Amino acid sequence: AKALGKSQVRCFALHMNDRVQRRVELEGALRRAIAQDELTMHYQPQLDLQSGRLCGFEALLRWRRGERLISPLEFIPIAEETGLIREIDRYVIRAVFRQVEEWRAEGLDPGEVAINISALSLQEAGIVSYIAAEMTRRRLPPDIIKLEVTESLLMKNVDTAQQVMSELKALHLKWSIDDFGTGYSALSYLRRYPFDQLKIDKSFIDDVNVNPENASVTRAIISMARSLRIAVIAEGVENNEQLGFLVEAGCDQIQGYFYSPPLTAEACRQWLIHRGP
Ligand code: C2E
Ligand code: CA
Ligand code: CA
Ligand code: CA
């Protein structure tokens, strides 16, 4: 390879410094954001293909920094590295439970509401009593709350995660396995953990109508889930062709821009008032 010039090396080093500094800044800012309530939730509607109706929402975190809304893709990785994710997960649980309580108090029914939980949070036993206490405080029926965990993260510290998951399952919360198909040994996880739902990753859905391999993997995932009596949802559905494929393949639910982008809590409220679940 061609050797780097001196100025290029210096430039690279500067860039590295920038990155480290930006990371440190971001971590500090994130801590303040949690304390000062700058985190907010959006909710993406999910469509039941059988009934053609709304069946729930996925809660998605946003960080309001001045005028800017920062995507979790930018800060969740840092939060995971620093352990701050545990606080964030609890914040999200609190915020979502409070929101669902508010909707219910107005007589609105949001269906099942899904919350993303990081694998780190599943490794502390305290999360079970935390969730149970918040649920009691908001008087929520546990079976309308669904927890999403990604397949890849389940590989670490399997014992605690499995324990935490079955305890929450015993409290009647639901479990969804997120980004399905992107991790390892999918089948054994499905048998070992108490999943109610499986979410097919967007990467399969993206080109499901033009890529025969992705089409057959998607069909195989759906039929496997059916035989295990696990509901299937497809994420990242953006057009009518994808929808058509998924209906034909027997998928239960979809989520994606085709049905709706993530909405503010107020927009969800309007949806629930005018279109019901
Ligand atoms: P995810 O759980 O796979 O969430 C789906 C992401 O896809 C969301 O991005 C959503 O806005 C986006 N999306 C939904 N429909 C479509 C579509 O039709 N097309 C395209 N191109 N994108 C679509 P978002 O909100 O930026 O979240 C990114 C990731 O950050 C999530 O991926 C999840 O892993 C993580 N995350 C989000 N909220 C939370 C949270 O509250 N707690 C934790 N621990 N992680 C979160
Ligand atoms: Ca998710
Ligand atoms: Ca996902
Ligand atoms: Ca995904």
Side-chain angles (χ1 to χ4, degrees):
K2 217 170 92 194
L4 291 171
K6 236 183 198 154
S7 68
Q8 276 174 300
V9 171
R10 195 162 45 229
C11 189
F12 180 69
L14 265 177
H15 184 69
M16 280 295 288
N17 267 334
D18 272 1
R19 279 192 45 175
V20 171
Q21 191 175 347
R22 195 177 133 63
R23 232 198 72 136
V24 172
E25 275 169 17
L26 205 62
E27 190 193 338
L30 193 49
R31 277 185 201 284
R32 287 191 297 278
I34 300 172
Q36 290 164 12
D37 224 21
E38 286 170 12
L39 300 181
T40 181
M41 305 309 299
H42 280 191
Y43 298 86
Q44 186 172 33
Q46 300 176 330
L47 171 70
D48 182 86
L49 292 177
Q50 195 100 72
S51 68
R53 299 182 70 85
L54 176 88
C55 57
F57 295 92
E58 177 180 13
L60 294 160
L61 185 59
R62 299 289 178 268
W63 178 6
R64 237 181 301 119
R65 272 193 103 178
E67 294 289 283
R68 229 158 76 79
L69 265 193
I70 305 181
S71 155
L73 294 174
E74 278 186 57
F75 61 89
I76 293 281
I78 291 172
E80 277 175 343
E81 283 170 40
T82 56
L84 214 50
I85 191 70
R86 289 197 206 83
E87 258 177 80
I88 291 180
D89 281 350
R90 289 182 181 220
Y91 180 101
V92 168
I93 289 163
R94 249 180 353 256
V96 173
F97 285 11
R98 193 198 307 127
Q99 183 63 67
V100 175
E101 180 192 42
E102 202 178 301
W103 284 330
R104 284 166 50 85
E106 274 193 79
L108 302 173
D109 174 10
E112 287 180 2
V113 180
I115 298 177
N116 292 285
I117 299 282
S118 81
L120 259 187
S121 292
L122 292 187
Q123 287 164 30
E124 38 157 358
I127 194 73
V128 177
S129 53
Y130 185 81
I131 289 176
E134 286 298 311
M135 194 144 262
T136 308
R137 170 147 91 114
R138 303 298 177 184
R139 294 185 301 273
L140 299 185
D143 62 352
I144 66 169
I145 300 298
K146 191 154 55 199
L147 303 173
E148 288 192 9
V149 282
T150 59
E151 180 185 39
S152 48
L153 292 176
L154 284 180
M155 305 194 34
K156 302 165 199 157
N157 203 342
V158 171
D159 285 353
T160 323
Q162 213 172 339
Q163 178 69 21
V164 164
M165 287 180 74
S166 45
E167 282 178 24
L168 286 167
K169 177 79 180 177
L171 295 175
H172 305 294
L173 280 91
K174 296 191 170 143
W175 286 100
S176 178
I177 184 161
D178 202 357
D179 297 344
F180 191 82
T182 59
Y184 308 90
S185 36
L187 251 180
S188 67
Y189 286 122
L190 284 185
R191 294 192 29 207
R192 188 143 22 102
Y193 291 95
F195 287 109
D196 304 279
Q197 183 189 67
L198 170 166
K199 193 180 259 194
I200 304 177
D201 191 62
K202 178 176 179 301
S203 58
F204 294 100
I205 306 304
D206 279 341
D207 57 357
V208 79
N209 294 95
V210 290
N211 181 333
E213 260 173 50
N214 283 358
S216 46
V217 171
T218 299
R219 279 203 198 87
I221 292 175
I222 293 171
S223 81
M224 175 190 68
R226 297 218 130 188
S227 62
L228 292 168
R229 295 176 200 286
I230 297 172
V232 189
I233 184 167
E235 72 174 4
V237 178
E238 295 182 348
N239 60 54
N240 204 30
E241 288 70 42
Q242 293 166 327
L243 174 67
F245 175 90
L246 292 163
V247 169
E248 191 260 334
C251 188
D252 300 298
Q253 301 168 0
I254 61 150
Q255 179 182 344
Y257 297 163
F258 181 72
Y259 186 48
S260 170
L263 307 172
T264 62
E266 177 53 25
C268 290
R269 182 170 162 268
Q270 293 303 325
W271 182 314
L272 292 172
I273 290 170
H274 299 293
R275 299 167 68 175

